[in-house]
Amino acid sequence: MQKVYNPKEVEDRLYKMWLDKKYFHAKIDYSKKPFTIVIPPPNITGQLHMGHALNNTIQDILIRFKRMQGYCALWLPGTDHASIATEAKIVENMKEEGLTKEMIGREKFLERAWEWKRVYGGRIIEQLKKLGASCDWDRERFTMDEGLSNAVKEVFVRLYEKGLIYKGERMINWCPTCHTTISDAEVEYEEKKGKLYYIKYPAKDNSYYVIVATTRPETMLGDTAVAVNPNDQRYKHLIGKTVVLPLVNREIPIIADDYVDMEFGTGVVKITPAHDPNDFEIGQKHNLPMVQVIDTKGYMNENAGKYAGQERYEARKNIVKDLKDLGLLVKEEDYTHNVGHCYRCSTVIEPLVSKQWFVKMKPLAEPAIKVVKEGKIKFIPERFEKIYFNWMENIKDWCISRQLWWGHRIPAYYCRDCENMMVSREEVKVCSKCGSTNVYQDEDTLDTWFSSALWPFSTLGWPEETEDLKYFYPTDVLVTAYDIIFFWVARMIFSGLEHMGKEPFKYVLIHGIVRDAQGRKMSKSLGNGIDPLEVIEKYGADALRFTLVTGISPGNDTRFHMEKVEANRNFANKIWNAARFVIMNLDIDTSFKPDESKFTFTERWILSRLDTLISEVTENLEKFEIGIAAQKLYDFIWDEFCDWYIEMSKPILYNKEAENNKEVQYVLLTVLTNVLKLLHPFMPFVTEEIYLNLPHVEESLVIATWPKPRGYQFTEDIQMVEKLIELIRSLRNLRLEKNIKPDIKPKVYIKTDDLSMANQLSLWEIYVKRLANFDQVIISNEAPEDSVALVLSWGVAYVKLKEIVDVQAELKRLLDEKERLLKEVERSEKLLNNQNFLQKAPEKVVNEEKEKYERYKQMLLSVVQQIERLESLR
């Protein structure tokens, strides 16, 4: 082994070996229990960021753990076509060439999209390999590969035939920048400061008027009614009458609806069915016409009169000005409200009425709610179930059509001659109704999440009944951040139940997001993002992985500190150095059988502690307590194994004639091998490199057997070592406090009621000599005269002052200190006897001086006592 661990030299070499030997490939084996994780597929536009690094490290820890436990462990990788994000990137690139989608046409655009996928699609996969991800790369999938595309068509047709997919005019969320619909889950709400405008709507003959309050005056041009609450006494007499819509001069009715909040604004609301989801519902109920005044690019259309062609916010300013000029703007108020933004580009979304494809959600949501309530799917932590239930119980139909070219094209076909619509798995060339060949396919594509909702079973070969599907489905655990519970988790659950008849996974393990050291979200705008690949380049993948998971708990955000990465690089070096020490002192191999009667209490202690560690880490990982398991491993390896047991082993290890020399070697090798196995899922590279340099039975840690406790629980020996460690720590502290020179080796006198150590006194003496640099250990019922007492939990240790102190030098120091303190007492006394000071100085200053005086007197008394004690020693 090299003197220093060099991740750069090790990581790529080991990863290539693992791939060459197919260690990550899950071969179906019916004698084994399957354990399956499907990767949350990263976008082909993506680059590895800290969120990916955390998410995939957690998955890798679980899959490596289960593989070592003997499961047929499949971690299925793949990427998502990410329709909106990818199309936006390609359109952006084309702009630089002076091109648009429309200029080159759909076919040429899709050629560019597939080329983009070829060039950039594998980038994030290669980066995951750098992280050490042990995915089954032979099974890698892409949401638009042939098999998954067939699954998408199959699901669409089945849901359509069941009446669960329909095409209809509904209110949708429209992004004027991405030029597509987005689902409710893709709208991000932000609190914004705006204005509430109070506008007068007069009667035709000006005999009455109402005042409405709105945050969006530009939509008033599309009003087709104003509404009041039927119980509002202020307006009961006006129900059924009409008012004139300002600026448009169109008469509109005053209607009554329970939806109207009497407390908001004036209690009168404008109804714009084409531009507000609630108004759309009211419009449907009251049979109101729809007038759309904003187009798909965010500009006012021909229905907006003189404001046609103006950008929506420009039109708002002009409309407000015109209302003021006409005396119809009563007032403006500052108003803070939630505004919906596109999750991809952050543009303010525009609610529009549009003919789109929808999934009927209520029938699909009910069984998906039931499986979580019955505990067939468990969220970890459980509190996220409330978020899931809240969304699923209030779910609206899902708009699945997108006005994009990159994605799964909707398998619906239309006849231009008879307007017949056909939904089909296969391409339709002839109209099923009139026989015409004048047939074309729907221009729209499906929402990205429509295909990723099928990921747990489509990736395993569905709709074909493949061996993979029969063996690996349902999967076991889904690891994801809390921000895609609606987007992805909920949709996978109802899709799995609908198409497979089984829930897609047993556990949903939620992790938080990685924040910077100050607790801020990492973002381009703040410039606080940290590139995981740069961290790996500098410190190694193991240090990054261990940093990301140490101390984390499910569902909670974590802070990323570069100092922690350095500390974990040092941890890797600590293990490396410990392993080098063990290897250099080994002359046994794995066939050696120890005589356990030759184990000392320190061997029995470390083996007992190892057993406890194996049990606890296994239990922590079974419960997904990854952060706790990591911390326990760190503490055991650094503290108990390296700092204590290895140091305790040295006197026997260096004495080749010692009768238990080989037994100590055996214990060192056993403990090191087992901690490497336990640590391997967390830090796969350094552990594998060490293991392959040790005498070993199994060919790689990747496929090694997970350790099991051997039944070592020697309680008395554990207590014995704990006492010994407490004594050594106290003696080390004494050396520091008294500045005892290394060549001074005092005796230690121990007074205790617990005499179990008397049988082991010779060993205690060896450890105290080596680890605390003291000489003899003497059990004594009497405390020696003139000694320092170290109070321990199990007795008192004494060290004679004469043995640790240079009496002459200490006397001189104490006499100098006495002179200083006498002067301080004298000064303070003089000040406190000065009436002028007592009367004029602030009370706080006088009280502080009194406290100083008492403190100096106490310190002086203590120094005088120490001088007297040292004088007697002389």
Side-chain angles (χ1 to χ4, degrees):
M1 280 174 75
Q2 299 291 319
K3 275 192 175 180
V4 179
Y5 175 59
N6 180 4
K8 280 186 189 175
E9 187 275 319
V10 168
E11 291 178 355
D12 289 347
R13 169 170 53 78
L14 284 181
Y15 200 85
K16 185 181 182 303
M17 180 195 85
W18 294 335
L19 291 180
D20 290 346
K21 296 202 170 183
K22 298 277 187 192
Y23 289 152
F24 307 155
H25 181 61
K27 198 173 176 187
I28 292 174
D29 180 349
Y30 284 96
S31 69
K32 288 182 176 181
K33 203 174 171 185
F35 182 87
T36 316
I37 296 177
V38 289
I39 202 168
N43 295 347
I44 58 166
T45 57
Q47 186 156 334
L48 193 71
H49 58 62
M50 278 301 170
H52 290 128
L54 171 64
N55 178 268
N56 287 284
T57 298
I58 291 171
Q59 291 176 81
D60 197 37
I61 287 167
L62 295 174
I63 212 80
R64 284 179 185 270
F65 165 56
K66 288 294 175 183
R67 192 184 284 124
M68 291 173 79
Q69 276 193 319
Y71 287 80
C72 182
L74 168 63
W75 184 13
L76 198 149
T79 48
D80 195 299
H81 65 283
S83 52
I84 294 180
T86 307
E87 186 151 320
K89 290 265 189 192
I90 299 162
V91 168
E92 209 176 292
N93 278 12
M94 283 166 52
K95 255 186 206 169
E96 292 168 21
E97 301 174 48
L99 296 173
T100 64
K101 281 165 59 177
E102 292 69 26
M103 283 164 76
I104 65 169
R106 188 172 197 138
E107 204 172 306
K108 290 285 181 197
F109 179 81
L110 289 176
E111 280 175 21
R112 283 176 176 250
W114 281 104
E115 179 60 15
W116 173 281
K117 193 265 172 190
R118 191 189 66 75
V119 175
Y120 298 107
R123 180 174 58 179
I124 198 164
I125 295 296
E126 291 310 308
Q127 292 168 345
L128 286 173
K129 290 177 180 177
K130 279 278 183 198
L131 190 67
S134 64
C135 296
D136 186 343
W137 299 111
D138 294 342
R139 285 187 170 91
E140 187 185 334
R141 303 303 299 265
F142 174 53
T143 46
M144 280 179 61
D145 67 28
E146 191 183 349
L148 271 69
S149 294
N150 288 339
V152 167
K153 279 186 225 165
E154 183 65 32
V155 164
F156 189 96
V157 174
R158 284 190 189 187
L159 291 176
Y160 178 77
E161 286 171 349
K162 280 181 83 171
L164 292 173
I165 280 183
Y166 64 92
K167 193 173 189 182
E169 272 208 324
R170 292 284 182 277
M171 178 62 65
I172 49 97
N173 306 299
W174 180 267
C175 175
T177 301
C178 297
H179 299 144
T180 180
T181 58
I182 59 172
S183 70
D184 291 341
E186 292 163 324
V187 179
E188 289 182 347
Y189 288 92
E190 255 179 69
E191 215 172 63
K192 292 271 187 188
K193 286 180 180 172
K195 296 277 183 190
L196 196 56
Y197 301 92
Y198 289 80
I199 304 165
K200 190 187 283 186
Y201 284 46
K204 194 173 183 182
D205 61 1
N206 285 316
S207 59
Y208 57 87
Y209 62 85
V210 292
I211 296 170
V212 302
T214 180
T215 57
R216 304 187 68 211
E218 66 278 13
T219 63
M220 68 182 287
L221 308 175
D223 289 358
T224 54
V226 293
V228 297
N229 192 294
N231 303 313
D232 196 331
Q233 295 302 322
R234 294 170 294 177
Y235 304 115
K236 269 196 166 181
H237 65 290
L238 295 178
I239 296 168
K241 295 187 176 184
T242 61
V243 287
V244 175
L245 179 61
L247 307 178
V248 179
N249 297 323
R250 185 172 71 240
E251 252 187 296
I252 57 174
I254 300 171
I255 62 170
D257 198 283
D258 290 326
Y259 160 76
V260 180
D261 179 0
M262 291 188 278
E263 304 299 316
F264 176 77
T266 61
V268 184
V269 294
K270 59 195 268 323
I271 304 298
T272 323
H275 291 285
D276 181 278
N278 297 312
D279 293 4
F280 176 78
E281 300 294 333
I282 293 169
Q284 296 278 297
K285 201 196 312 183
H286 294 270
N287 232 357
L288 296 174
M290 278 191 289
V291 179
Q292 189 170 322
V293 292
I294 301 173
D295 70 14
T296 56
K297 291 181 180 173
Y299 285 80
M300 308 308 286
N301 68 11
E302 66 281 0
N303 294 329
K306 70 171 191 174
Y307 307 101
Q310 295 180 13
E311 193 275 329
R312 54 186 169 162
Y313 295 117
E314 179 196 355
R316 179 183 295 181
K317 284 179 197 165
N318 294 332
I319 287 167
V320 168
K321 182 183 177 299
D322 290 349
L323 288 169
K324 270 182 191 168
D325 293 346
L326 292 166
L328 294 173
L329 186 69
V330 179
K331 62 174 177 175
E332 292 177 29
E333 279 178 359
D334 289 333
Y335 184 66
T336 302
H337 59 140
N338 279 327
V339 178
H341 293 73
C342 171
Y343 81 115
R344 279 288 173 205
C345 69
S346 298
T347 302
V348 173
I349 63 114
E350 191 60 54
L352 293 178
V353 173
S354 177
K355 199 161 195 183
Q356 300 288 344
W357 288 93
F358 293 86
V359 175
K360 207 176 277 181
M361 283 310 306
K362 285 279 182 219
L364 295 169
E366 281 163 13
I369 291 166
K370 192 180 174 194
V371 289
V372 177
K373 283 193 169 164
E374 289 175 351
K376 290 177 181 171
I377 295 176
K378 287 185 169 72
F379 278 75
I380 299 159
E382 201 177 317
R383 68 177 186 269
F384 286 99
E385 288 179 7
K386 286 179 188 167
I387 297 168
Y388 173 80
F389 290 139
N390 185 48
W391 193 67
M392 291 295 270
E393 283 162 2
N394 297 290
I395 201 161
K396 292 178 183 170
D397 286 358
W398 172 21
C399 176
I400 53 169
S401 43
R402 298 290 178 268
Q403 288 62 53
L404 300 166
W405 287 353
W406 174 240
H408 296 101
R409 198 162 170 184
I410 288 172
Y413 300 82
Y414 306 91
C415 176
R416 288 189 180 93
D417 295 334
C418 72
E419 296 184 355
N420 178 34
M421 183 179 81
M422 298 151 282
V423 169
S424 167
R425 294 168 180 84
E426 308 301 325
E427 187 184 351
V428 175
K429 292 183 178 174
V430 178
C431 175
S432 59
K433 192 175 177 185
C434 73
S436 167
T437 55
N438 196 3
V439 171
Y440 67 98
Q441 188 175 354
D442 199 304
E443 290 291 317
D444 288 353
T445 54
L446 287 161
D447 179 8
T448 297
W449 300 102
F450 190 91
S451 50
S452 50
L454 320 179
W455 189 249
F457 53 91
S458 64
T459 51
L460 293 169
W462 188 91
E464 303 301 318
E465 206 168 306
T466 63
E467 287 302 306
D468 272 9
L469 189 66
K470 281 189 268 185
Y471 184 71
F472 290 111
Y473 189 91
T475 71
D476 289 85
V477 58
L478 177 81
V479 181
T480 186
Y482 51 68
D483 55 353
I484 57 171
I485 290 174
F486 318 132
F487 287 140
W488 194 42
V489 180
R491 287 166 179 167
M492 280 192 288
I493 293 172
F494 69 66
S495 299
L497 291 168
E498 172 67 20
H499 305 293
M500 291 295 297
K502 286 179 190 171
E503 51 281 354
F505 28 72
K506 301 177 186 81
Y507 299 97
V508 180
L509 176 58
I510 306 282
H511 60 78
I513 60 171
V514 184
R515 297 183 177 274
D516 72 6
Q518 295 172 49
R520 300 173 303 173
K521 198 170 180 178
M522 290 186 183
S523 69
K524 282 180 187 170
S525 57
L526 286 173
N528 62 344
I530 297 167
D531 184 348
L533 294 169
E534 286 178 16
V535 178
I536 290 170
E537 178 67 19
K538 191 171 179 184
Y539 297 104
D542 289 331
L544 173 63
R545 288 167 63 113
F546 207 69
T547 299
L548 287 168
V549 298
T550 306
I552 61 161
S553 56
N556 293 333
D557 293 349
T558 180
R559 292 189 183 195
F560 187 85
H561 298 265
M562 207 48 104
E563 295 78 8
K564 277 191 188 174
V565 186
E566 286 179 34
N568 287 316
R569 188 262 320 269
N570 296 343
F571 177 50
N573 289 337
K574 181 93 169 174
I575 303 161
W576 184 262
N577 292 335
R580 285 187 75 244
F581 168 79
V582 172
I583 288 167
M584 286 190 294
N585 287 283
L586 278 185
D587 54 32
I588 62 164
D589 60 26
T590 54
S591 64
F592 176 74
K593 297 283 182 284
D595 177 352
E596 293 194 7
S597 68
K598 291 181 182 176
F599 288 167
T600 70
F601 66 82
T602 45
E603 278 71 63
R604 289 192 292 272
W605 163 72
I606 197 68
L607 289 169
S608 299
R609 294 296 300 128
L610 176 66
D611 256 19
T612 301
L613 181 75
I614 292 168
S615 298
E616 289 183 354
V617 167
T618 306
E619 188 183 344
N620 291 144
L621 289 178
E622 297 286 11
K623 290 180 176 177
F624 307 109
E625 295 167 346
I626 289 167
I628 297 172
Q631 193 60 55
K632 282 178 182 169
L633 282 163
Y634 182 92
D635 292 343
F636 177 88
I637 293 166
W638 191 290
D639 191 30
E640 295 180 275
F641 183 57
C642 294
D643 285 358
W644 289 107
Y645 183 69
I646 284 181
E647 291 307 314
M648 289 171 173
S649 73
K650 285 177 180 176
I652 294 163
L653 212 53
Y654 293 159
N655 178 7
K656 291 294 176 188
E657 303 307 313
E659 65 163 348
N660 58 339
N661 177 280
K662 284 188 164 46
E663 275 67 24
V664 169
Q665 289 185 49
Y666 168 83
V667 170
L668 280 166
L669 180 59
T670 299
V671 176
L672 180 57
T673 302
N674 279 282
V675 295
L676 290 173
K677 286 183 173 186
L678 295 172
L679 188 63
H680 177 71
F682 300 83
M683 301 177 87
F685 293 107
V686 69
T687 51
E688 177 83 325
E689 184 68 1
I690 293 169
Y691 181 76
L692 296 177
N693 277 281
L694 282 173
H696 57 279
V697 178
E698 293 158 301
E699 67 177 71
S700 164
L701 283 180
V702 180
I703 53 168
T705 310
W706 186 256
K708 287 181 180 169
R710 298 199 226 177
Y712 290 118
Q713 272 311 315
F714 298 105
T715 310
E716 284 179 17
D717 298 298
I718 293 169
Q719 290 168 354
M720 180 78 75
V721 175
E722 283 169 357
K723 290 173 192 172
L724 176 61
I725 288 171
E726 188 184 357
L727 173 65
I728 290 166
R729 282 185 174 142
S730 297
L731 294 174
R732 285 173 173 175
N733 289 339
L734 182 69
R735 290 199 83 95
L736 283 172
E737 283 167 21
K738 299 293 181 189
N739 198 21
I740 303 170
K741 291 175 184 170
D743 57 338
I744 295 173
K745 299 183 181 184
K747 295 183 182 68
V748 183
Y749 298 83
I750 291 173
K751 186 181 177 185
T752 178
D753 295 332
D754 178 6
L755 297 177
S756 61
M757 61 171 283
N759 301 327
Q760 307 285 350
L761 196 59
S762 59
L763 256 183
W764 275 65
E765 210 162 74
I766 289 169
Y767 296 140
V768 167
K769 280 179 179 178
R770 176 161 192 91
L771 300 176
N773 200 21
F774 278 68
D775 189 21
Q776 200 177 346
V777 180
I778 299 159
I779 295 178
S780 171
N781 290 325
E782 298 295 322
E785 287 181 15
D786 304 313
S787 57
V788 177
L790 302 172
V791 180
L792 306 161
S793 62
W794 50 274
V796 185
Y798 299 93
V799 180
K800 287 184 177 180
L801 269 171
K802 221 173 188 175
E803 292 189 21
I804 61 172
V805 175
D806 180 334
V807 176
Q808 282 304 113
E810 185 68 2
L811 252 179
K812 184 181 180 312
R813 188 187 70 77
L814 289 170
L815 287 166
D816 289 346
E817 180 68 358
K818 179 185 172 185
E819 283 304 310
R820 187 186 75 79
L821 289 169
L822 277 168
K823 283 176 187 171
E824 287 292 349
V825 169
E826 196 179 323
R827 181 200 60 76
S828 193
E829 205 165 36
K830 198 172 178 182
L831 199 56
L832 291 170
N833 286 330
N834 183 335
Q835 289 304 311
N836 205 24
F837 169 74
L838 293 174
Q839 286 164 12
K840 291 186 177 177
E843 189 182 349
K844 188 184 173 193
V845 174
V846 173
N847 288 336
E848 282 175 359
E849 194 57 48
K850 284 177 180 174
E851 284 173 17
K852 277 185 197 173
Y853 177 62
E854 291 303 324
R855 193 164 67 247
Y856 289 141
K857 282 203 304 182
Q858 284 297 101
M859 288 167 73
L860 181 61
L861 180 64
S862 173
V863 166
V864 168
Q865 286 171 346
Q866 287 182 63
I867 288 169
E868 286 170 1
R869 201 169 174 193
L870 285 177
E871 290 279 12
S872 71
L873 287 176
R874 224 172 32 159

